[in-house]
């Protein structure tokens, strides 16, 4: 499911008749300036748990920590040196396995990021968000995330992007995201 975060309640009804064993993979990210603030998330609810609540079913959080350009151009076969890793979180081991298999098939190393309650570690402007890390570097980067700083970093980075005088390249965006955590 790839829809703007604030529009998730609008599509929730589409999942009412989907079999309960269907794996729903959510790629969305919460940016309050794009769809307005969501009270529960602003109050601290983990974005992925809010999504699962809106849909009324479990979700897998995957592909949200990569830029569109990364997904379009940087997927490579398994075993390729320097392959970019992507975190995959879900409350169900079986659903997480499905998500991880699909991430691998799409050209990225899947990383088991645990349960949805911990998926805040891969949300916007955490150290693992859109920084194109390999599997070896992803684990300590996820562990280094600071939950209280993530929303502040997100808002600061969005302000930073609005001051740019030209559209940054993919590499420049990745570097800007990495620079938040040095």
């Amino acid at each position: 499911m790839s829809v703007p975060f604030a529009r998730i309640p609008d599509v929730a009804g589409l999942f009412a008749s989907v079999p309960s064993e269907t794996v729903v993979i959510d790629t969305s990210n919460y940016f309050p300036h794009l769809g307005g603030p969501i009270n529960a998330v602003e109050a601290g609810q983990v974005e992925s748990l809010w999504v699962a609540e809106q849909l009324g079913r479990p979700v897998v959080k995957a592909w949200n920590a990569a830029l569109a350009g990364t997904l379009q151009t940087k997927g490579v076969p398994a075993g390729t040196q320097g392959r970019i890793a992507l975190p995959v979180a879900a409350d169900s081991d079986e659903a997480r396995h499905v998500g991880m298999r699909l991430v691998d098939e799409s050209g990225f190393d899947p990383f088991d990021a645990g349960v949805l309650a911990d998926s805040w570690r891969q949300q916007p402007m955490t150290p693992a968000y859109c920084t194109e890390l390999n599997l070896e570097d992803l684990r300590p980067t996820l562990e280094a995330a600071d939950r209280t700083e993530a929303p502040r970093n997100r808002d600061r980075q969005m302000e930073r992007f609005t001051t740019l005088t030209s559209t940054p390249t993919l590499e420049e965006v990745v570097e800007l995201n990495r620079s938040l955590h040095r």
Side-chain angles (χ1 to χ4, degrees):
M1 177 178 72
S2 293
V3 299
F5 191 85
R7 301 298 308 263
I8 289 172
D10 299 338
V11 301
L14 298 173
F15 293 90
S17 62
V18 174
S20 61
E21 67 274 7
T22 302
V23 176
V24 178
I25 299 177
D26 172 37
T27 68
S28 69
N29 288 303
Y30 176 58
F31 288 98
H33 70 284
L34 293 177
I38 295 172
N39 293 335
V41 177
E42 291 294 320
Q45 184 175 22
V46 174
E47 291 94 331
S48 301
L49 294 175
W50 182 84
V51 171
E53 186 178 280
Q54 300 309 301
L55 298 181
R57 61 184 55 250
V59 299
V60 175
K61 190 64 161 189
W63 287 290
N64 73 299
L67 295 161
T70 301
L71 297 175
Q72 292 169 340
T73 63
K74 297 196 176 182
V76 296
T80 301
Q81 181 75 19
R83 191 179 196 212
I84 295 169
L86 299 177
V88 179
D91 289 339
S92 158
D93 290 340
E94 183 178 325
R96 189 178 319 109
H97 176 74
V98 169
M100 290 178 70
R101 180 177 50 80
L102 292 171
V103 164
D104 182 49
E105 289 176 7
S106 70
F108 301 91
D109 280 334
F111 178 84
D112 185 338
V115 296
L116 285 180
D118 291 331
S119 65
W120 64 266
R121 295 178 179 280
Q122 67 197 63
Q123 291 299 119
M125 304 318 152
T126 57
Y129 180 77
C130 298
T131 52
E132 297 186 353
L133 303 172
N134 63 30
L135 201 53
E136 182 180 315
D137 294 333
L138 187 55
R139 176 184 305 280
T141 303
L142 286 166
E143 291 171 358
D146 181 334
R147 189 165 179 191
T148 59
E149 279 300 308
R152 287 190 276 265
N153 283 338
R154 177 198 64 217
D155 296 343
R156 276 196 324 250
Q157 192 73 325
M158 291 303 97
E159 287 176 24
R160 198 171 170 190
F161 279 118
T162 63
T163 66
L164 298 175
T165 58
S166 62
T167 303
T169 66
L170 174 61
E171 290 73 22
E172 289 169 335
V173 173
V174 170
E175 180 52 35
L176 283 167
N177 289 341
R178 288 178 177 181
S179 72
L180 276 174
H181 307 286
R182 290 192 190 118

